[in-house]
């Protein structure tokens, strides 16, 4: 099998292939025509025929066994069809590959196609995605609209910096140097296991950030945590260097006022040395030490 672009001297055979594909489109349970737009399947009065770029798959005898018609004005695949005897031989995938190469060569990085339901799994496997409106697939008369982005995707991921740099801001700066017309870039945050856990969740739109009101008595930096539903994720490991854990309790109390009832605490071995005493006191516990040698405490309710 070989693929030829706009093969010379095959105009009549190409037209016959178009006509047979149009007839076959309406046959029950047909699998030959994988993509067909209205420009091919219907005769529209007074509408000029697109100047298609034709990619033809030929067998060893020079007979056309598969055809792809690409409209270079809309960059839409108007026809993709393979004869029944050569189904399952990778002809459709190779024709798509040639269409992608042609689009990239002409600095266009997106293809679109209109397919029937039976051909939907094939195009999804080839990397196409459904066009959607209000989270519902765009379809008309039993046909689905799909597109494929051909730009390479570059993932920029950074862990938290020890010197206080914002990892997300760093990746956003890198994105400004990437040519948007030739590459699709995505930035995300990573956690090193000790820091950056909350930023990573918020960066992936998994949670929302909640920031505590500024309080110079607590810390000069902004204190925040992540919330999803009634769940709060508090990253205590970012608060290393505190003399006691009272700020931990303040964060939990603030989360309670936001409706949180389940708490996930990200801890670090470098936390305060009070064993959580300050946190419990901030939550309303009072500790009374026994003067008889041993230390014990009883809990009192918060007013």
């Amino acid at each position: 099998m070989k693929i030829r672009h706009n093969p010379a001297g095959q105009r009549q055979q190409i037209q016959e292939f178009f006509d047979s594909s149009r007839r076959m489109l309406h046959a029950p349970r047909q699998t030959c025509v994988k993509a067909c737009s209205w420009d091919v399947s219907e005769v529209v009065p007074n509408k000029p025929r697109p100047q298609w770029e034709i990619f033809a798959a030929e067998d060893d005898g020079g007979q056309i066994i598969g055809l792809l018609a690409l409209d270079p004005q809309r960059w839409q695949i108007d026809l993709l069809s393979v004869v029944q005897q050569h189904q399952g031989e990778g002809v459709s995938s190779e024709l798509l590959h040639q269409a992608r190469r042609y689009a990239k060569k002409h600095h266009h990085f997106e293809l679109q196609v209109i397919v029937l339901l039976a051909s939907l799994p094939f195009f999804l496997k080839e990397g196409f995605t459904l066009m959607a409106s209000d989270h519902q697939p765009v379809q008309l008369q039993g046909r689905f609209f799909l597109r494929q982005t051909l730009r390479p995707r570059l993932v920029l991921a950074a862990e938290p910096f020890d010197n206080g740099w914002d990892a997300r801001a760093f990746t956003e700066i890198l994105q400004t140097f990437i040519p948007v017309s030739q590459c699709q870039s995505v930035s995300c945050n990573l956690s090193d296991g000790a820091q950056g856990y909350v930023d990573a969740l918020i960066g992936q739109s998994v949670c929302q950030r909640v920031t505590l009101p500024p309080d110079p008595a607590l810390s000069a930096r902004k204190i925040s945590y992540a919330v999803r539903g009634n769940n709060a994720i508090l990253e205590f490991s970012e608060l290393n260097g505190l003399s006691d854990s009272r700020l931990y309790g303040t964060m939990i109390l603030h989360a309670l006022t936001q409706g949180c009832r389940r708490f996930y605490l990200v801890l670090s071995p470098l936390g305060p040395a009070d064993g959580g005493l300050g946190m419990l006191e901030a939550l309303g516990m009072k500790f009374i030490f026994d003067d008889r040698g041993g230390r014990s405490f009883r809990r009192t309710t918060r007013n």
Side-chain angles (χ1 to χ4, degrees):
M1 179 190 70
K2 59 182 178 180
I3 306 294
R4 297 177 62 188
H5 180 208
N6 291 332
Q10 296 275 39
R11 180 171 299 182
Q12 182 177 353
Q13 191 176 352
I14 290 173
Q15 185 60 50
E16 291 174 355
F17 203 97
F18 266 100
D19 295 338
S20 64
S21 297
R22 185 184 296 114
R23 293 191 300 269
M24 195 175 301
L25 182 65
H26 303 286
R29 298 183 180 180
Q30 68 84 24
T31 59
C32 297
V33 183
K34 296 189 179 298
C36 194
S37 71
W38 285 272
D39 292 323
V40 177
S41 61
E42 298 178 1
V43 178
V44 181
N46 302 322
K47 184 174 182 179
R49 173 176 169 175
Q51 296 298 315
W52 287 307
E53 296 294 333
I54 302 295
F55 298 88
E58 299 178 352
D59 61 12
D60 296 336
Q63 293 296 314
I64 295 179
I65 60 174
L67 197 71
L68 185 147
L70 175 66
D71 183 351
Q73 300 298 321
R74 297 173 298 163
W75 294 100
Q76 176 173 293
I77 298 172
D78 282 338
L79 176 70
L80 176 58
S81 180
V82 178
V83 298
Q84 185 67 44
Q85 295 86 339
H86 293 273
Q87 294 285 318
E89 297 180 0
V91 179
S92 297
S93 297
E94 183 60 30
L95 287 169
L96 277 177
H97 175 66
Q98 295 299 325
R100 294 188 189 103
R101 289 185 58 185
Y102 180 84
K104 291 179 181 179
K105 182 179 178 180
H106 290 78
H107 307 289
H108 193 84
F109 297 95
E110 185 175 280
L111 292 178
Q112 59 185 16
V113 66
I114 302 172
V115 305
L116 298 172
L117 179 61
S119 303
L120 194 58
F122 168 77
F123 282 94
L124 293 176
K125 183 180 178 181
E126 287 288 334
F128 284 79
T129 57
L130 283 164
M131 298 184 191
S133 176
D134 297 327
H135 306 288
Q136 294 295 326
V138 177
Q139 58 174 316
L140 184 64
Q141 297 182 8
R143 305 185 191 189
F144 294 83
F145 294 74
L146 296 93
R147 66 160 60 98
Q148 184 177 40
T149 299
L150 304 177
R151 291 177 295 174
R153 176 173 293 184
L154 181 63
V155 179
L156 304 174
E159 291 184 351
F161 294 92
D162 294 335
N163 58 4
W165 265 40
D166 187 341
R168 186 170 185 83
F170 176 73
T171 56
E172 289 176 352
I173 292 174
L174 289 180
Q175 281 184 297
T176 61
F177 295 95
I178 299 173
V180 178
S181 61
Q182 299 181 15
C183 184
Q184 182 182 13
S185 61
V186 179
S187 65
C188 63
N189 290 19
L190 298 179
S191 172
D192 59 5
Q195 295 182 358
Y197 191 82
V198 166
D199 286 339
L201 293 175
I202 295 172
Q204 299 304 312
S205 302
V206 177
C207 300
Q208 295 181 339
R209 185 187 299 275
V210 177
T211 303
L212 271 67
D215 188 347
L218 294 177
S219 176
R221 57 179 296 185
K222 292 183 179 180
I223 306 299
S224 62
Y225 56 92
V227 170
R228 183 176 184 181
N230 66 344
N231 301 300
I233 300 93
L234 301 99
E235 190 170 4
F236 293 162
S237 58
E238 277 198 332
L239 306 175
N240 292 332
L242 299 177
S243 58
D244 60 59
S245 58
R246 183 174 296 274
L247 181 55
Y248 294 1
T250 302
M251 293 176 66
I252 294 175
L253 283 177
H254 190 272
L256 284 169
T257 64
Q258 303 298 311
C260 298
R261 294 298 180 266
R262 179 176 294 179
F263 300 88
Y264 298 89
L265 310 181
V266 184
L267 303 176
S268 168
L270 302 177
D274 65 351
L277 185 67
M279 178 183 68
L280 295 176
E281 287 181 335
L283 290 172
M285 287 188 177
K286 182 178 180 181
F287 296 90
I288 301 176
F289 297 99
D290 193 346
D291 294 334
R292 292 175 294 181
R295 285 191 171 185
S296 61
F297 64 88
R298 62 183 176 86
R299 183 178 69 179
T300 61
T301 58
R302 182 179 177 87
N303 295 330

